[in-house]
Amino acid sequence: MSMFRLFASRPPAPATAPIARERLQILLAHERSSLGRQPDLLMLLREEILAAVSRHVALDPDKVMVRMERGKNVSTLEVDVELPNGLEPALAAAS
Amino acid sequence: MAKVLVVTSGKGGVGKTTSTAAIGAALAQNGKRVAVVDFDVGLRNLDLVMGAERRVVFDLINVAQGIAKLPQALIRDKRLENLWLLPASQTRDKDALTDEGVGRVIAEMRSSFDYIVCDSPAGIERGAMLAMRFADEAVIVTNPEVSSVRDSDRIIGMLDSRTVKAEKGEQVGKHILITRYDAARAARGEMLGIEDVLEILAVPLLGIIPESQDVLRASNVGSPVTLNNPASAPARAYADATKRLLGETIAMTVPSERKGLMNLLRRRAA
């Protein structure tokens, strides 16, 4: 750093309040909706979806990804289940 | 008609106890008979901020359980004769507070006070729920900061659903009190502005308390900020907010520190 920069006025920090405002508006819109009043909904959906899938396929719980994206107008729940190939014999034995 | 006022926020450290003491004292200065009640069982601090910590004998739980009578537990303020404190218990488990017990105490207090100001603990556990349970009005203390605003929103939802008034189909009167506000930082876009907070929470504004060293000074000596230094910016802001609570119309301003030479000298001398 040059010596002059020590004395030069620092550039103003970018305003972060508008970001805070935007983030809060999206978050609270979600939390106020019926979805938000059930904080365990994600857990519940995850368990029930996995139960449904595992009735038909042997699942590795570690290979399941559940993601939630909260948007301004819509939210998405993404369930990603990795199914290994060649499971049919195991499934037949299980049932 | 007695009014039960809860000072609440969800988030901790935003200024509930400071605001309870300041508003309680200001209501008493306006001639009202006031009791401030600490609901923070196990972590009481209203006694300390009010300067009554050495005079606590009985507490809210003792009265709720019938071990002590209400007049035995109430501590009269040494500066204002129409201001009382009902402290929280420091030792008991917070589950010792019950809906019926608190309901009885509040009902008894309604007959002898104009204002019962309930200082809620942080969080949304039993103490916080009981502090708001019997409220007619609520002061929601909010810092212009994302986590505080979010928690205030949560608390507003509970005021609209979990209070006796809400269950009767009525509304708890709600007021936002913005504390620790720094006008310069808000102007630079570094801090959420008043309009941002109000637009997000959609609750009317009771007052704006500026960030100030006088708040810490007052708590150091155990005096509500409105009594300790009435000329200070936060004290004037609390005095205005209290008048609004009493129904007066007062222009909304952010009182600022007076930085004149005389003030500086006076402060040195104080």
Side-chain angles (χ1 to χ4, degrees):
Chain A
M1 189 193 287
S2 87
M3 232 180 65
F4 295 106
R5 277 194 63 193
L6 269 178
F7 299 102
S9 62
R10 276 185 298 162
T16 47
I19 303 169
R21 181 194 155 96
E22 169 94 15
R23 289 176 59 219
L24 269 171
Q25 279 173 329
I26 292 174
L27 173 69
L28 294 182
H30 181 85
E31 287 188 342
R32 286 168 185 160
S33 71
S34 57
L35 217 59
R37 260 179 249 125
Q38 237 183 309
D40 299 334
L41 184 65
L42 197 60
M43 210 55 187
L44 195 74
L45 286 175
R46 187 190 125 108
E47 275 170 23
E48 289 194 4
I49 290 169
L50 290 189
V53 176
S54 62
R55 272 201 295 277
H56 306 285
V57 187
L59 276 182
D60 179 352
D62 295 336
K63 296 279 169 62
V64 179
M65 295 290 295
V66 183
R67 272 186 231 96
M68 182 84 169
E69 181 70 39
R70 288 155 180 183
K72 211 164 199 169
N73 300 314
V74 282
S75 300
T76 57
L77 179 73
E78 183 186 332
V79 183
D80 190 339
V81 184
E82 192 179 306
L83 299 176
N85 293 329
L87 274 181
E88 290 78 11
L91 194 66
S95 61
Chain B
M1 240 307 256
K3 262 201 182 141
V4 178
L5 185 72
V6 62
V7 179
T8 183
S9 71
K11 190 174 182 303
V14 297
K16 284 181 296 296
T17 301
T18 298
S19 298
T20 302
I23 292 172
L27 283 168
Q29 283 176 306
N30 278 277
K32 302 293 177 190
R33 279 173 67 88
V34 182
V36 290
V37 185
D38 193 346
F39 276 80
D40 204 345
V41 173
L43 289 171
R44 73 168 174 229
N45 276 317
L46 187 57
D47 55 336
L48 200 53
V49 170
M50 301 279 296
E53 72 277 9
R54 293 193 296 172
R55 298 198 285 145
V56 175
V57 183
F58 294 113
D59 55 56
L60 174 61
I61 290 181
N62 295 148
V63 181
Q65 294 183 330
I67 294 165
K69 297 258 182 268
L70 180 61
Q72 294 176 308
L74 284 167
I75 303 169
R76 192 176 205 157
D77 190 83
K78 284 193 165 165
R79 297 147 297 212
L80 294 171
E81 63 167 14
N82 48 344
L83 176 62
W84 280 263
L85 163 71
L86 182 56
S89 167
Q90 188 68 317
T91 50
R92 295 295 191 91
D93 183 355
K94 59 178 174 297
D95 292 337
L97 272 186
T98 63
D99 204 293
E100 300 74 37
V102 172
R104 267 198 313 274
V105 178
I106 297 282
E108 189 182 347
M109 292 178 93
R110 276 182 189 272
S111 61
S112 40
F113 292 100
D114 298 317
Y115 274 89
I116 299 144
V117 187
C118 303
D119 184 19
S120 173
I124 50 172
E125 302 298 320
R126 185 192 291 260
M129 289 297 115
L130 284 174
M132 71 166 66
R133 181 92 188 119
F134 304 94
D136 301 306
E137 295 198 34
V139 172
I140 302 136
V141 182
T142 308
N143 290 168
E145 176 269 323
V146 287
S147 48
S148 176
V149 175
R150 178 198 209 174
D151 291 0
S152 291
D153 192 73
R154 190 90 200 277
I155 286 292
I156 289 166
M158 291 175 170
L159 286 165
D160 288 337
S161 60
R162 306 274 198 92
T163 52
V164 171
K165 274 216 146 177
E167 285 169 7
K168 282 196 289 187
E170 297 169 30
Q171 278 256 321
V172 172
K174 297 185 292 289
H175 314 270
I176 293 288
L177 184 68
I178 295 180
T179 57
R180 311 201 70 162
Y181 182 69
D182 185 330
R185 297 198 73 184
R188 287 198 299 269
E190 294 174 13
M191 183 184 258
L192 282 169
I194 304 294
E195 322 72 48
D196 294 332
V197 176
L198 296 181
E199 195 195 320
I200 290 167
L201 295 178
V203 169
L205 180 65
L206 181 68
I208 306 160
I209 315 298
E211 171 82 57
S212 166
Q213 301 186 349
D214 282 290
V215 172
L216 181 59
R217 280 200 197 98
S219 74
N220 283 344
V221 299
S223 171
V225 68
T226 34
L227 295 181
N228 192 52
N229 183 359
S232 68
R236 286 181 285 138
Y238 275 119
D240 284 357
T242 305
K243 290 227 165 85
R244 288 184 200 110
L245 209 51
L246 289 166
E248 288 184 39
T249 309
I250 291 179
M252 191 66 71
T253 56
V254 188
S256 56
E257 311 278 353
R258 291 180 185 131
K259 290 221 172 94
L261 182 63
M262 280 313 290
N263 196 265
L264 205 68
L265 289 173
R266 221 180 301 137
R267 188 166 288 166
R268 281 278 158 80

